Structure formats: structure tokens, C-alpha cells
Amino acid sequence: MIEQLILTLPMAIIVLGAFVLLLISHSKRFNLDRLNLIAVFFLILSSCVQFIIFKSNDIEFLFSDVFGETFILDTFSRIFDLMFTIGAILTLLINNDYFKSRRYFNGEYFALILFSVFGMMMLSHAHELVTAFIALEIASLSVYALVGYHKNNRVSSEAMLKYMVLGSMTGAFFMLGTALIYGAVGSTNLSDIALYTANHNIDEMSLLMVGASFISITIMFKIGAVPFHSWVIDVYHGAPYPITMFMASTFKIAIFAIALRLYIVNFGEVNVFWSELLQAITILTLIGGSWMAISQTLVKRMLAGSSIVHSGYLLIGISSLGLGSEMAGPAVMFYLIAYFISAVGSFGILSFIASQSKTQMRFEDFKGFANRRPYMALMMSIFMLSLAGFPSTIGFLGKFYIFTSAIESGQILLAGLGILTAFISVYYYFKLIAMMYFYESDEQKKKLPIDISTILIFAMGLVVVWGGMGTTLIPFIPGADGFIDIAQETINSLK
Amino acid sequence: MSPNLFFLLASLLFSIGLVGLVSRRNLFVLYMSIELMLSSINLLLATFSKVLGDASGSVIALLMIGVIAAEAALFLAMIVHIYRSSRSVDSDNFTALAQGKE
Amino acid sequence: MLSLIVVIPFLSALLMALVYLADTKADRYKFYTIVGVGAPMIITVLSLMVGLELVSGEETIHNTLINWLSVGELRIEIAFMADRLSAVMIAFITFIATLIHIYAAGYMRGDEAYGKFFSYFNLFMGSMLLLVLADNPIMMFIGWELVGLSSYLLIGFYHTKSSNITAANKAFILNRVGDFGFIMGISLLFISLEGTGFTFESIKANIAMIDNETLSLIGLLLFVGAMGKSAQIPLYVWLPDAMAGPTPVSALIHAATMVTAGVYMVARYSFLYIEIPDIGLFIAYIGAASALFAAIIASYQSDIKKILAYSTMSQLGYMFIAVGLGAYSSGIFHVFTHAFFKALLFMGAGAIIIALHHEQNIFKMGKLKERLPLVYITMFIATLAISGIPPFAGFFSKDAILVNAFASGHHLIWAIGSFTAFLTAFYMFRLLFTVFHADSSDTKELASLPNSMTRPLVVLAIGSATVGFLGVNEAYGGSSWFNNFLVLPDSAYHISHTTEYLLGALNVSLGLIGMFLAYKMFAINKLEVKEDALYKKVIINKFYIDELYVFFIVKPLLFLSRLIANVLDPKVFDAFINLNVWTYRKSAVIFARLQNGKVRYYALYILIGVSSMSYYMLFKLGLM
Amino acid sequence: MERRLVVQGIENLLEISIFTILALFMLGGSITMIMSRQTIFSAFGFLVAMIALAGIFALLDARFLAVAQIMVSVGAIVVLSILTVLTINMREENLPYERHKYKWMFFSFILALPITLLIYKSATAMYESFKTMEAVTSKVVGKLLFSEWVLAFEIVSVLLLAAMVGAIVIARKEIPKHEIPKEERA
Amino acid sequence: MMDNILTNIIFLPLFAAVVLGVFRADTKYLKIGAMLSSVATLFLVLFMTYNFDPHAGMQFIKISPWIQNAGISYFVGVDALSLVILLLISLLMPPLYIYMYHEKRKGYWYNMMLLQTGVSGAVLSLDMMLFYLFWETMLLPIFVMIGKYGNGLHRYNSMKIVLMTILGSMSMLFSIMYIGYIYFETHGIWSFALNDLASIDFNAQTSIWLASGFLLAFAIKIPLVGFHTWMAPAYGSAPTPAVVIMSSIMAKLGIYGIWRFGYSLFDSTLSYYAPTIITLALIGLLYYAIRAITELHLRRMFAYSSGSHLSLIALGLFLGNIYAWSGSLYFIATHALASAGMFIVIGLTYKRFNTVYLDSLGGIASKAPRFSFFFAFFALSIAGLPGTGGFVAELLIIIGAFKVNFYIGVATATTMLSAMVYIFWMLQRALFGTANNEREYEDLSFREMIMLLPLVVLLIATGVMPSFFMQIFDPFLVSTLEAFTLNSGGVK
């Protein structure tokens, strides 16, 4: 009993932290800095607990006698938990300066972030569709509120409006799918669904298929697949920088926690069914995403557009998964990690810069950036290279695994298209590097503040490089091999 | 009495919700359309619950009502905030983020 | 020893170049003179020793320096071979070159690039000797090319004047056109004989392996090289322009040595050409045409050096008539004699030019007979020699060629040759009389000529007068020592002595007529050529051949280049890429315009997505 | 025997007619909702639809659900909405003037048709009839809620809390504590 | 020592750069550090060459597993082919650093060091992925150097070169991944080691597709005609050291790639592409040369010249006989030296006169004889002057072409003419003519002579004693050609 409770401790700590923050948020004794640190403290505490209990594999379902098989405890979910908490920690720490520079943040903000992390963690542990939906809603609703947090800013509200309307609209599809699956299976538990799919022919399962497809619409929406992509750029643009960072890195991968589980375990038997559909969406996403990305002038919007393209790559992986590729699962997982790190880094730098200037960041504003801030420019270049899939960065290996899995599953054309869009993506990523390096700046070189956010950004830069070419030389720090081992292990724990 | 009619009703309601969502600009109507969609899912769940002879469906629907309430809260808060700040509930008025306007 | 002959000039050139580059301003007249003139002197001695060795009975002398290249079957050594042909060549080349070097020491004195000049000059020497002494076609080709290079450098020696450089470029490029043919010939030869070695000797031994057709092709291609180097139609246009270089250069390169390389080459490949008489005939016709053509133009030129240049071309034509018809020895004999008198003529002309403060138009000269007596006498001897007046050297060699032409049965060639002989006498005496006899109003003081310039004239004059006797044939009581010494595979034409005398008499009389005509027209009152008739205009403008080249080759090339620059690159290749980029960007813009900011549109996109998905599912699941 | 059949027939008829009425109310309410220009009419249409939905729940023997629907959906949510509408007190001219409303509706309905069909067809393809079962009483619901669904039930509370916090944050009129920096757009 | 010598060679410059960067070295120390690193590398390479056995094939091999899950290993080795290019890059670096002597901008130095590592790495790697890594890595310094330190439309042009090159490398990446997958499919483990991949038997169709991926990358890098639009702008805008490396080394890597990977992986398939590439190369030979005639910008002119000669090298490669191969490989070396010299001299021209447009030059020869000598020497050695190595190479390629086919031979021999026209016209306009008296004609300084002399000496040495140099790679070519003929029955 107690040991099972310990297993829920990470989540409990998060919720607790949220309550505590709510309580103290209006106290005069805690300024923003403190609140931030408290939030981080809870997150770190939670991740420490996660580390401690990481290897305890003896219990598969939490309180299975009470809950039924609704709450799963596997490596997969633990890895995701870790990523969520790390993502949140990074978001909070890197944006420390940003919070201080904007007056509209307060205690509830951190509480909402913790709520949203809680929702994501719940999502990764959910082994039951309704629970998953509710968890998703927790995460989403908190993020909706966060997106609109800058209330004096029209665009922030507008972004919230759009995200909320569209998010709820597609959220309804998730529930619709759940209802249909419930109708087909008689249960929403994933174990039952897996059993059902394993024991039925594909033509007997049309209701389940329809339901699953509706669920996938929500997933597609959240990861920004074309044609469900239209919110991405607007919302990323409108949201305050920390939230954009949080959404692009953490929230985006959260949706894969459920998506991968569904695709690999529950609908594993019937994945072939929607391979064509998935391929069509993948193609649209790759092309549309790169179209969106190259037509932007704001760096933030460009990164938003590019995140659509990255969803496209992930979809290639998922589509390969459906066609029976062995490598696809780890490939997607690895890509998620790679994208997570690179996106945290790149958006982190954006908000780092935004915390010191009030201008919008167009490409032009980066002119001479390398002169003003050589180290930041170097880091930004590393992240750009990683996103572009330049070798010796983790992004390259990510693409490598994705494309080989596509080749393995025989989707040569899809891999080719992926390569092509990767090529196009070089244009908009290198454009930023070009802006930073190719222009001289009149401004004096600023001294680089050595604070927590810069250190973290540097750390992320190192991880990006180390993850692309590092070996297992240094213990405890996963290199290129380490990350794919983790991805492998994670996916294996699903089956 | 066959469940077909219930299914029909539910799917129709869902579609009406979709139609309202897409074709209207009034934020209140958008909000209500979403609520309608979710409610139609509740109807579906209740129907399945009866079809399958399993009470879980009803329980899910019950939980759903909670979710609907949560969404409603946030939605209404947002509408109030938006109306307050821009004196408009017309969704077409919010295009500051459109491509080319940044 | 052989290696030394080739290497010494290269080394001295290098030495002088380094010294020159180390300090370009320093005046090191003595050093350059000693090194620059000393090197040819040494090699003259060496080559005479080689000659003596051969005379004393050696068949050939071989000398290998290093292994140059060894790829597959292509094993090329830097090796030298002196047989009698090459011995003769190096003997007169080094001898005349030494004289010209001495002459140049006087001529170029005071030029600020004196060291550079001698460096180039020695470089040329080395290249020429490499060409002659090479024991395989590749080495020969290298010499061949280097000769072209040094010719380029020397023609463009006065580089501040752009037209000089144009002339140099023209020379080099046309030479390269020849080389283009030459290298193709060599390559084809090598490929045809692959595996049997690639020295002249082994080629000679295996020549039968090649079928006649290929052999003809090879012969033709090789001759293209000769055309370029020896200024034959159609690649001759560079030679007149090459007179832009300093006069010693013209004397050495464009009269005595380099231009004869083509003839030498054909003689060197005589074992090949003997197999393909058709190509030989072709060569002979080209030679005849060039001879006549050049002679006609020469008759209407007024620049002293250009006249000599065309005369050179014309004489080269004779040589090609000879080698084309298989009379290789006669050809080489003419090369030999021609070297003397043509060098003399050029050096004389150079002396005049220096004396007259760089005046080159013969119609602005006159009455120099008294003022430059030594030059006058030596040039008179040379003119007699070139006009084929016995007993001067030119008579014997030219006569031998014409006799061979007649005997071979190709009477057209003979007729052209004879007519050209008449023209030769005419234009040469025209030059002589105009410069030395005709009146002139010019009374400017003459510049003094240093001894180093005049003494070589004397030596060469003696040569011009006497070297002909080396090759006096049986008809004239000689023993054709020269021809016999060479042992080339001459075609044997038999002809009675009577005919030979008749032909000789005809030639001499033609020469005399030409001389007389020139005296009538120019000695007393010189008539400056004017473009008063169409034919004159055409001839004075050298038949507009240069313009034709410009029109048919240069213009199209430039046009093509501009076409690529302005159309193909930007409007085809780049445009293709840009079109793709443009299409992509355009579609991106259109796609991004869907992002119009209105939430219901976004919902509509989602609805469309879901709707089409549902549609697909309806069919796929068989529900509809 | 016959009597039973008759009774059953009458019951069926009754059920169908009740269903029809409720369904018509629902459809009418929801169509009114999406059609009417005045927000308040829409809200009333929605209210009608929700009440009718509660009726249909009752028809489906889900009594507890029906009550919950009435209490939460109708009593809380819809009423809250109406209150909001009234609080905001939008004037006529502030309402969006939607010119192409019907066109949009038409097209979006065509687009929504496949979805409707898909849901309907796939559901009816599988199930022909109801299972006879006991009405879902509050007892059953309670049992299920506190066994199988307890986790979901618990996290719904977190969801409500988060939504509440969010709603408060978004809706509260904030008096800036400090001077707000100049309007920044991103 | 010998075990890790290749690793040292590759990473010494990078190491130097990192150390200097960490200590934020002044330009003064940066200069010394860079110079030292390049000289040390040169000594290492020379030392290795001294110990190199031409008959032993691949040597100084170092394999260590790297990213094991992806089957990527750190696998380097050197054979004659890579040795030639490695020698070139290490020989060229010191003169370039001397050239950059007055360079104050630090990024310049760092980029050059990074570039050396990238190029050496690409030449030495035998693992496809490692190769790809270096292949892309060497693009970055070029990108920055053109974009940041270039002139003209440099930003646009650097973007253009990067995009076009990456288009090629992406297609190559695709092929590499596919081949790797095929290996995985048959053997059950991942490997990108060249010798592993070479053991795969492809079916003909796949092989053709895969080869096209590689060929596209290399065709763009060379560039063959049609893939060349990045070339002139990039060369025109790039700063001199970058141009030198681009034309002398990077373009050759395209050839190297075909040689190393093309012939190992799909020997017979290359025969399928041979006619196309031979045609393209022949067209390119003349196309670029003719284009160069009217070009006034010196760097662009020699960009075209470079293209023309690289077409010739590619041609030689695809002719597939020993003469053409020796010629090609030799040409790689000699053209690298000559074009390096040429571009350095053009750089010096720019430093002196602030222009590299032909129409504003002229008269240099009379005022600056040393400068003109070097200028003309390099120009002429590019034109294949006998006595310089280029001549030997061209001769061999022509002979090789004649061996294949008379008509190809004739077309190839036009190289004798093609370079002539523009080189000599260029010399006329750049060096000769009357000097402009208002302009200062500064002759070469001692430092500049020291920088250029090694190149001159090497060019002459390669022309005078080719067999001495060729003995390094002769056995390699013979054995490769044997293997190739065995597999494909020769090229037709």
C-alpha cells in the first residue's frame, strides 16, 4: 500500500505544489522570484522522486484492485514524466528573467504550470481513455489560461481564444471517439481495447476504427498536423515566450505519451488500416509546415512553422510504426527527445533575448547578434543546426532514425519527402544563422550574464551536441547511444 | 424501440454543434456549440450504456458533465475578458495574428 | 653530354630569372651577358662535339636523364637522342643562336629588362634543343610547347604596348591550335602502338602495326602541329604579327629556328610519312600555297620586318614542299641554309632599325648604302642567297627542292615554286633597293651600332655565302654530302642532269628577272604601295584573312561566351532553380494566406480535414 | 398474452412519441441556438435543448444522469451562461453582423454530413437493439464511481480546480500593481 | 604514434581552435596558434607519407565504435587517394595562414582551422556517416566565411552555395541510409563502414537509384555543368582563403567521393552513368572555358576555369583506364596547387588595387615584375603549361580519352585550347599594357614570396618529375582499376 503510494508521490508533489502556490500567491512576502523558486523546488522534488523510483518495476498498475487497470506504471510513462518535469523546470528557470521583466506574472501562473504538468503526467500514466481525456483537459485548460495570461495584450487573448475554441472543438472529437470505442468494446480500458483488437477481424471493428480515428484527430490537432495546424503559428506567436517554449517543447511531446501508447499497444493490430490516411496527413504536414515556416518573418512564427514540420517527421515515424517497422518506435521516441532538447534551447534563447528587449523578434532583429552576444549566437546556431538535422547534433540522429525506419517500412517516397523538407528547412534555419553572423552590429558587445538561464541554455547546447556525437564515455550523461538506448527501453516497456 | 434514433439524434446534434462552430462568429454561440457537441457525446454514451447494458457509460457521461462545466468556466471567463477588453464578441474581430500582420 | 646541351640553357635561364626576380631594378649587365651569352657558347661547343662524334661514325647517341613518367604502358623518360638529323639541327641552331645572343647583347643593351630577356632567350634555347634532341614524341611535344611559350614571352617582351601582347597571344594561341592537332596525333600514335614502347626508335620499328587509315590520320594531325609552329596556311597569321618582339627574337625564333620545327618534325617522322604519300602530297600543296601566298603579300608590304616575316613563311612553304614530297634531306638542307641568310636578314634589318631610331617602314628609309656599308654588303649577300642566285647557299637548297618537285611529277607544285622564286627575288630586292639605294630626304643622324651587333653579321654573311656547298648534288659536281649524311628515307626521284641544269637555269633567270624588276621599280624612284586598286587593297590587307578569323572564330566565341553569360547561365540554369524556388515560395505565400487570423476559418480547415477523413473512412469501412 | 402485447405496443408508442417530442425539442433548440442573431435567444434555445436532453437521458433509463444533467448542465452551466450574457449586456450594435451566415451554415453542414453519417452508420451497423437492463440508479452509479472510476472522478476535481483558477485569472479585473510596460505585442 | 596519427591529423586544428577559443586568444596568439597547428599537421602528414606504403592499400586504420546503435563507427584510414588530397590540404594551409597574416578578424582564423579539420576528416573517413558528418561540417566555415567576410552579394551567395550543396548532400544521405538499411536487412546489424557496405550486392535498379543520390551530391560539388550556378557567385564573393580551399580541395572532394564511394559501392552502376557524365564533363570543359572568356571578374573567371578543369578531372575518372585515372588524380593535385596559387595571387591583387575587375587592372608587369611573374606563372600552370604538373595530367587524360574513343579523345584534347584563350586574354588585360601612374604598384614582399614559392616549386617539380610523385598512388590505381574491371568489365 505504502509503496504504491510512493509511486504516486511525484504527481502528488506536483499537485501539492500547485496548491501551495495558489495559497501563497497573494502573500506579500513572496515575490515572483521566490514563487518561481518554489515552483521549481516542487518540480525538482518530484523529479528526484521519479529518479528514485525509476527502476521499481514490480508494480504494473497502481492500485489495480481499486482503480482497475487505469493507472499504468511503466518505463514509458516514467520517461515522459521526467521529460515533463524537466521541461517545466527548464521553462521556469530559463525564463526567470522574463518573468521579472514582465509585470503580469503572478503566483497563479506557476500553479497553472504545475497543474498542466500534472495533467501531462496523468496523461502519460493513463491507461484508460476517459482518464486520458480528463488529463488532457487538465493540461489543455491550464495551457489555455497560460496562453492568455498576458491580459493587457490583445494578441495574447486572441491566441487564447483561438486555441481554446479550436482545442475544445477537437477535444470533443477525442471524447466522441472514446464514446464510440466504448460502444464497440464496452469498456474504455486500454487493456480491454487491446484484447478486443487482438481478437477481432478488421471488418468487425468498424466502430472501433471510427472511434480511434476521431481520437487521432485530436492528437493530430495537438501536434499541429496539416490541416489541423492553423492554430499553431498564431498561438505560438500570441502566447508569452515562456508559454510558447512550454507548449513547443513539453506540451507537444505530452500528446505523444498517449499517442504512442495507443498506436503501439492498443491499435497495434489495426495500424495498417489507416496507413494511407496517415501518409496523406504526413505529406500534407511536411509540405504545409515547410510552407508555413518559410513564409514567416518573425523568428517565433518561423519556429512555430518548423514545429509543424517536425510533427511531420514524427508522423513519418508513426506511419512507419503502423507498417510494422521495428525501429520506428524508438525512432519516434528518440526524435521526441531530440526535438524536445532543441526546442527548449531555441525557444529558451528567444525568451532570454525577449526578457532584455521589448521588440518583436524578426529575422532582421538578429542582424549582428553574433557581434553583440557571441556565445548566445553560437548556442542559437547549434540549436538551429540541430533542428535542421545537421550532423553532429542530436537532431541529425533523430532524422536518421526516422528516415531509416521509413525506409524499413518501405515508405521510400515518404522518406524522400522528409529529406526534401529537411533540405528546405535548412533554408529558414540557416537564414537565422546568416542574420546573426553576416551582419556587423554597431552596438557594443554585451557581457554575458552568468546566471541560471544562460547556464541552462549552454547545458542544453552541450546536450544537443553530445547527444549527436557523444559516446558513453561520461557516465550518467547519455550520449548519442544513451539516448537511443533510453528510447529503445521506453518503447520496449510498452509492449 | 431501436437505438438507431438515438444514434441519429446524437450524430445530428454533434453535427449541428460543428456547423454552429464553423459558421457563427458570435463567441457565445461558439461556446454553446461546443457544449452542444459535448452533450451529444453524453447522449451517445448514455445510449451505448443502455445498448450494452453497462452502467459505465452513464458514469462516463457524468464525468463528462464535470468536464463540460470546467470548460464552461474557462470559456465564459475568456468571453468576459475579451468583451471587456475589446467590446466585441465577434470572432472575426480578432485577426491581429493573421499572416502578414505581425 | 647530350643532357648537358639541353639542361644548361634551362639552368642558365633559371639562374637569370632568379637573379632578375631577386632585384628587378639592379643593373647587372655583365652578369647577364656572361651567363646569357656564355651558355649558348658552351652548348655550341658541345653540340659541335656531338656532331663530330656522329661524323666519325656513331649511329646515334643516347642519353637518359631521369624516368619522367611511367603509367601503364606509357613509360616516358627524359631522354635524349642525337642522330644525324638532330645533330645537324642542333649544330646550326646553337651556332646561329650564339651569334644572335651576341647580337642581342648589343641590341638589348640598356633595356631595363635585359636580364629577363636573356632568361627568356635561354629558355627558348633549351626548349628548342629539347624539341630537337627528344628521343620520344612526348618530350618533343614538351619542347614544342615550351618553344611556343618562350616565343609568346619574347613576342610580348615590350608588354606596355597592348598590340604587342595581342600579337603574342595570337602566336601562342595559334601555336596551341597546332599543338592541339599534334597532341592528338601523338596520343593516337601511342594508343595504336600501346605496349611496344614509345621512343622514336621503337615507333619506327613498329610502325607497320598501324593500319594505313589510322596512320594517315596520325600524319595529318601531326602536320596540323607543324602548320601552327611553321606558320603554314591556315595557321600562319601569327607570324607577321610576331615581329612585334625585339628583332633578335625575330631573327632567332621566327626565322632561323622555331618556325622550322615543323619541318624538322615531319622529317623526324619521315618513317611515318613515307608510308602515307597522300598526306605528304597534301603537305606539299599546303607548302606550295603558303609559299605563293606569302610571297604575294610580301610584295606589297612596307614594314621591313613584316616583309621578312612573309618571306620566312614563303621559304617555309618550300621546305614543306620538299618534306611533303618525300625529299626530306632537301627540306632540311633548306632549313639549314635558310637559317643563315634569314638570320642575317633579320639582324641586318635590326641594325637598320636601331640605326634609324626604330623606324620600320622601308619607304621612309633610303640611301643607306653609304651610311651603313657593312650592313648593306651583308644584307646584299643574304638577299642574293634567298633569291637563289648561285653560288650562294639558297640556290643549292631551293634548286634541290624545285628539282624534286618537278621530278615527282607534280608539276603544279613545281610551277608555283618557281613562280614564288621569282616573287622572292622581286620582293627581297625591292626591300634592298628601297632601303639602300632609293633616295631619301631623311638626314637624321644614325645611331651608332655596337660591334657586338655588326660582327655576327659578317659571320653569317660568310655562312650564307658558303654553306650551300655542303649539299651540292651530283649534277653540280658535288656529292650531296649533306643529304647522305642525314640518311633520311628520301623518295628517290630520278631525273636527268640536263633537266636539272635547265631547271636551275630557269630558277636563276627568274631570280634575275625579279631582281631587275625590283631595281626598275624601286631603286631609282621608290613607289610607295598605295591601296589604289582593289587587288592591291586586298593584298595589302593580307587578303583580309585576319578579319576572316575574327569574324568566323573570335566573334562567335565571344558571342557564345556572352550568350552563356547573359542567357544560358542566368536564364536557363539559374532560372530553372529560381523557378523552382519561386514556385515553392509562391505556393508557400498562398498557403500562408490561408492563415487569415479568423478562428472560424481555422475551424473550417479542421472541419474539412475531418470531413474528408470521414468520407474516406465511410468508403474504406464499407459503410456507404 | 395479447394484453401484454398491447401494453407493450402502447408503451412503445409512448416511448417513441416522447422521444420524438424530446428530439424535436432538442433539434429545435439547438437549431435556434445556432441560427438566432440575438445571443439570448441562442442561450434559450440551448437551454431547451439541454432540458430535452435530460428527458432523453431519463428515457434511456439513466435517471441519475438525467438529474445531473438538469442540475449541472441546465441549472449551473446554461444558467451561468445566460447570466453572463445578461451581465455583459451586449447592445445590439455590438453583436456581430453576420452576412453570409446561412451560406456558411449550408456549406459547413455539407461538410459535416460525412461525419454525421459516419457516426450514425458505424454505430447502427453494430447495434440493432437495446439490452434490457435495470435502470441506472444512483446506487449503481455511486458504486462505479468509487471503484472503477474513482481515479477519473478524482482528477475531474483537479480539472475543475485548474479551470477555476484559470477562469479567475483570466476573468478578474486586474488592477496593475506596478506600471505596466508599454504595450508589447509578443 | 602511428596508431592515432590520422586522428591527430584530423583533430589537431580543431583542438588548436578550441584551446585558443577557450582562452580567448588575442589575434597575435591566434595567428601563431593557427600557424603552428597547420605546420604541425603538415609535419605529421609528411611523416605519415614517409611511412606510407603505396602497395599496402588502406593503412593507419583506426576503428573504434562510436554510435553503436546506429552502427556508426569512427573509422579512418588512408590510402593513396586520400593521401594525395590530405597532402594538398596540409600543404596549402600554411601559405594561406601566411596570406592571412594581417587578418584581424578572429572568426576568420577559427573558421579556417575548422575547415581544415572538416576537409581532412572527410578525406580520411571510411565510415559513410563519419564522412557525411565531415562533408557537412566543412560547409559551415565556408558558409560563414563567404557570408561574413565575403564581398558583393555575399550573403545571398553563401546561402546559395549552402543550399545547393546541401541539396546534394541530402540526396547522398538518403542513399547512405538506404544502403545502411540494406546492410542491416541482410546482416541484422547496422554498419556504415565502407568495407561492410561494399560487400552488399544490390540489384541493378536499386543500385542505379542509390548511385544517383551520390552522384548528385558530387556533381554539385564538382560542379558538373547544369549544377554549377552556385559556383561563380560563390567564388566571386568568397574571401581568398575560402576560395582557395573551395576550388583546390572541396571541389576535388566531389571527385574523391565518386572515386572512393562510387567505385566501392556500385562499380558496375557507374558504367551506367558513365556516358552521361562523360558528356556533361565534355560540355562543361568547353562551356566553362567559353564562359570565362568574357568574364571580367578575376575570381569568377577562375571559378569557371576551375569548373572546366574539374570537368576534365571528372571526365578522366569516368574514362576508366589507367592513363585517364592517373591523369585525373595527378590533376587533382596539380590543379589544386595551381588554383591555390592563382587565387592567392588574385587575393593579393585585390589587396593592392582594391579591384579584381580586369578592365580596371593593367600595366602591372612594368611596375611589379615579381608580382607579374607569379601571377603569370600560376595562370599558365592552370593553362597546362609544360613543365608544370598540369601538363602531365592533361596529357594523360587525353591519352586515356583516346584509348576509349577517338571522338572523346578529340573532344578532350580541346582542353589544350580551351584554357588558352581566356588565360592569355586575361594576362594581357591584367598584367600588360601601360601602367596607371596614379596608382601605386607594390611588388611582392618577402613574406608573400615565401608564401607562393612552395607552390611554384611544387608545380615545377610535379611537372619535371611526375613519376616521383606518381609512385605514391600508382599501385593504388592499378589495383583499383583491376578490381573495377573485374567487376564491371570496364567502362564503355
Side-chain angles (χ1 to χ4, degrees), chain C residues 193-238:
Chain C
L193 289 173
E194 196 180 354
T196 58
F198 202 49
T199 62
F200 284 118
E201 281 168 352
S202 66
I203 296 170
K204 193 173 177 178
N206 296 305
I207 196 76
M209 280 169 59
I210 311 175
D211 62 282
N212 205 272
E213 204 176 318
T214 316
L215 209 56
S216 303
L217 191 58
I218 293 170
L220 195 64
L221 288 172
L222 290 177
F223 179 61
V224 172
M227 277 178 186
K229 196 110 308 185
S230 296
Q232 295 298 292
I233 289 174
L235 300 180
Y236 71 91
V237 284
W238 63 272

Side-chain angles (χ1 to χ4, degrees), chain C residues 67-68 159 166 194 561 569, chain E residues 228 287 290 294 323 403 467:
Chain C
N67 175 19
W68 189 66
H159 50 66
T166 312
E194 196 180 354
S561 180
D569 261 6
Chain E
H228 66 280
Y287 183 92
I290 292 174
T294 48
Y323 308 113
K403 189 169 167 64
S467 62

